[in-house]
Amino acid sequence: MEIVRETYTTFPENAAFLKKIFPQDDEEYYYGFLNYHPLFSPDNIYSVKNRNQTIATLWYLPRLFFDKERILLSAGIANVATDPSFRGQGLAGQMMEKVLKEAEIQKYEFLILVTEIPEYYQRWGFQEVGKYEVIIELPSTGKYQITYQNISYENILDAYKLFYQGFQLIVPLRNLVYIKGMEKWNQWSSMFNYKGEKAGWSLLKGEANCSLIFYGLDKGEYFKVFEILWDENIKKEELVSLLHNWAYYLKKNIHIDLAHPIIDYLGLKAEKDSKNTIMIKPYWDIDLKWVYLPAPDYF
C-alpha cells in the first residue's frame, strides 16, 4: 500500500470511491469542485492505493481567507474516507501527516475542517470553534409584508464583504468565479438539496425597506438558512422583527447558521451543532474566535 496524489486521469475513480462511501451525495458534487473551484486540482487529493485500487482518500483544498484587507492562505480538509474493509489501520492518519507537512512547506496560516468526530482531530492540534444555529420560532402573530426577489452575484459579493468586515470576521475570500461555482457544486450535496429542491440566494424585503440577503432552502418541517447578510444601517431590533415576521409568513420555524459574534450582537439564543463541528489548526498567531466558515463554503 502507498500514498499517492491523484491526477485528472484518476479523478473519476476517486469520485466513484467517495460515492460508495457517502451514498447520500451525488457523484456530481465532487465533479463540481473539479469543474468550478478556481484553486482546486486533483493533485490536492491524497489517496491510499492497494493493488491500484483506492482504499482511502483525503482532500486538501487550498483556500484564501480575508481579514479586513489582509489575505490569508489556508486549506480545508474534506472527504476523509476509508473503505470499511481497511479501517482501523491508521490510513487516514498517515494521509493527515502528509497534509500537515505540506501545510508547513506551503506556509499556510491555518487548516480548517468540518467534522462529526472532533476528538479524532485534536491529536494533530486542531481546536474546536464550533458551529451555531439560531432558531426563529413561529410566532402567534405577525405581518405578511414579505417579498422575495432575485439578486445578482455582484450584489451578493458586495454585501458579503461589507457585512463580515463590519463584524471583523475572518471569512473565505469570494469572487464571481468562486460564488458561481459554489452554487454549482452545492446543488449536488445532500445538505443543500431537499426532495429535488436546491438551496439558492434571494433578497427578502419587509417593511420600510428593511431587507436581507440569504442562502436557504425549505426543508419541509422548517426553513433552513445557511447564510444571511444585511445592510449595516439596519437596526438590530428591526432585523429581529423581520426574522419573526418571516417565520410568520412561512408558517414554520427558521433555522439560521450564524457566527457567534453575530449571535451575541443580535442577543439571540443559539444551539451548538453537534454533528457539524468546525475545527482549526493554526500555524501562526491568529485569534480563532474571529474565523468563520459559512456553511455554503463547506468542503
Side-chain angles (χ1 to χ4, degrees):
M1 292 186 289
E2 60 176 340
I3 298 178
V4 301
R5 300 178 82 161
E6 299 288 0
T7 66
Y8 284 96
T9 303
T10 63
F11 182 85
E13 179 191 342
N14 188 267
F17 172 75
L18 286 170
K19 173 61 177 176
K20 182 177 70 173
I21 303 299
F22 305 117
Q24 70 274 19
D25 291 326
D26 196 289
E27 201 168 317
E28 289 296 326
Y29 175 65
Y30 309 110
Y31 281 95
F33 284 89
L34 181 67
N35 295 329
Y36 301 107
H37 197 298
L39 298 180
F40 174 73
S41 67
D43 63 1
N44 297 129
I45 303 173
Y46 287 91
S47 293
V48 180
K49 304 285 186 176
N50 181 42
R51 297 178 181 177
N52 293 323
Q53 295 295 314
T54 302
I55 60 171
T57 194
L58 180 153
W59 285 33
Y60 171 64
L61 297 168
R63 290 299 308 270
L64 297 176
F65 280 67
F66 74 84
D67 177 8
K68 295 182 181 178
E69 296 300 324
R70 188 169 62 114
I71 303 300
L72 305 178
L73 183 60
S74 176
I77 307 298
N79 300 327
V80 182
T82 302
D83 187 297
S85 301
F86 293 89
R87 289 173 183 167
Q89 299 182 31
L91 301 181
Q94 293 174 36
M95 292 185 292
M96 181 63 72
E97 294 292 342
K98 288 273 190 182
V99 165
L100 297 182
K101 290 179 181 178
E102 180 72 16
E104 290 183 8
I105 293 172
Q106 298 296 331
K107 299 188 182 302
Y108 284 112
E109 303 264 358
F110 60 88
L111 298 180
I112 188 167
L113 57 84
V114 183
T115 182
E116 294 183 8
I117 47 172
E119 62 280 355
Y120 176 77
Y121 293 96
Q122 289 173 353
R123 71 185 77 178
W124 289 293
F126 282 87
Q127 301 175 42
E128 183 175 339
V129 298
K131 176 180 180 289
Y132 298 89
E133 180 184 68
V134 167
I135 298 177
I136 305 297
E137 295 184 347
L138 171 62
S140 57
T141 61
K143 299 177 181 179
Y144 282 111
Q145 286 86 348
I146 297 291
T147 60
Y148 295 96
Q149 294 180 14
N150 293 329
I151 184 167
S152 69
Y153 287 126
E154 290 83 356
N155 286 337
I156 295 168
L157 288 171
D158 286 340
Y160 173 82
K161 187 172 184 179
L162 290 172
F163 180 76
Y164 287 116
Q165 281 183 325
F167 282 99
Q168 301 183 341
L169 290 171
I170 302 170
V171 293
L173 181 67
R174 292 175 179 169
N175 56 25
L176 280 175
V177 173
Y178 177 79
I179 196 170
K180 290 178 182 179
M182 181 175 70
E183 198 161 24
K184 290 283 188 181
W185 64 68
N186 278 346
Q187 68 177 319
W188 301 107
S189 167
S190 57
M191 179 180 290
F192 305 102
N193 190 320
Y194 180 75
K195 294 184 177 180
E197 296 296 320
K198 300 173 176 61
W201 293 97
S202 295
L203 174 66
L204 182 144
K205 286 190 172 183
E207 291 183 311
N209 295 319
C210 187
S211 63
L212 56 86
I213 297 169
F214 71 92
Y215 184 73
L217 172 66
D218 192 329
K219 292 210 168 186
E221 184 179 347
Y222 60 90
F223 193 93
K224 179 64 180 181
V225 176
F226 301 102
E227 187 170 11
I228 189 168
L229 316 167
W230 61 83
D231 188 282
E232 62 182 356
N233 294 319
I234 297 176
K235 297 178 181 179
K236 60 183 177 181
E237 294 82 7
E238 294 176 346
L239 180 73
V240 173
S241 177
L242 176 59
L243 293 176
H244 284 100
N245 284 331
W246 189 15
Y248 183 75
Y249 172 84
L250 293 171
K251 295 301 179 185
K252 62 181 66 181
N253 292 353
I254 303 174
H255 294 216
I256 308 175
D257 292 336
L258 286 171
H260 216 283
I262 299 175
I263 295 169
D264 291 342
Y265 165 78
L266 293 175
L268 298 174
K269 181 180 178 181
E271 296 182 3
K272 191 172 183 179
D273 188 336
S274 60
K275 292 185 178 180
N276 292 290
T277 298
I278 298 172
M279 302 192 75
I280 297 173
K281 176 179 172 61
Y283 283 94
W284 308 101
D285 185 20
I286 186 169
D287 192 340
L288 299 186
K289 72 179 181 180
W290 299 109
V291 180
Y292 181 54
L293 182 66
D297 296 84
Y298 283 6
F299 313 106

